[in-house]
Amino acid sequence: MKRIFISFAMEDSNLRDMLVGQAKNTNSPFEFVDMSVKEPWSDSWKTRCRTKIKGCDGVIVIVTKNSMNADGERWEIKCASEESVPFLGIWGNDNHSGVTVPPELPSYKMRDWTWSNISSWINNL
């Protein structure tokens, strides 16, 4: 079983919930780690979050129009990169024209949100 950290803007928590729901399917090869920021950022949150990211096999980043302004999501991407944890960006919706990918996430790492794209990436971790 692979452990996957989900990075997302808080405004997109419904998309995170949908991805977590997919992981509950019996054919899912992974489980998710949640470090959602429900309080103002603190150094202790960053320390715990970094530990969680380091303990995961990969990070899935849900990218929407909210991502560029999501300091937590952008920090998590940067952290995954610093810790050499592989990450994959998935578009949060079908119409992503005009959505800017945060600079911490190389655009070549972006994929459409499909079970095939997600599971093949996870299976290759």
Side-chain angles (χ1 to χ4, degrees), residues 5-19:
F5 187 97
I6 304 173
S7 182
F8 62 97
M10 280 309 293
E11 298 86 352
D12 299 322
S13 62
N14 62 319
L15 297 174
R16 184 268 330 258
D17 294 346
M18 288 175 21
L19 192 55

Side-chain angles (χ1 to χ4, degrees), residues 14-92:
N14 62 319
L15 297 174
R16 184 268 330 258
D17 294 346
M18 288 175 21
L19 192 55
V20 169
Q22 283 183 305
K24 292 178 181 177
N25 292 333
T26 56
N27 63 342
S28 174
F30 52 97
E31 62 185 5
F32 291 110
V33 175
D34 185 14
M35 286 293 294
S36 305
V37 180
K38 295 179 180 65
E39 309 172 357
W41 274 50
S42 67
D43 287 338
S44 64
W45 177 86
K46 286 184 176 181
T47 300
R48 288 191 323 270
C49 187
R50 182 175 295 274
T51 299
K52 293 283 188 183
I53 288 172
K54 285 169 52 173
C56 288
D57 299 294
V59 174
I60 292 178
V61 182
I62 301 174
V63 177
T64 70
K65 63 180 175 48
N66 299 313
S67 297
M68 277 299 291
N69 295 321
D71 293 337
E73 181 176 26
R74 292 181 65 179
W75 182 87
E76 291 163 353
I77 300 165
K78 183 175 180 261
C79 178
S81 181
E82 290 170 354
E83 298 298 337
S84 300
V85 176
F87 50 94
L88 170 71
I90 58 171
W91 295 110

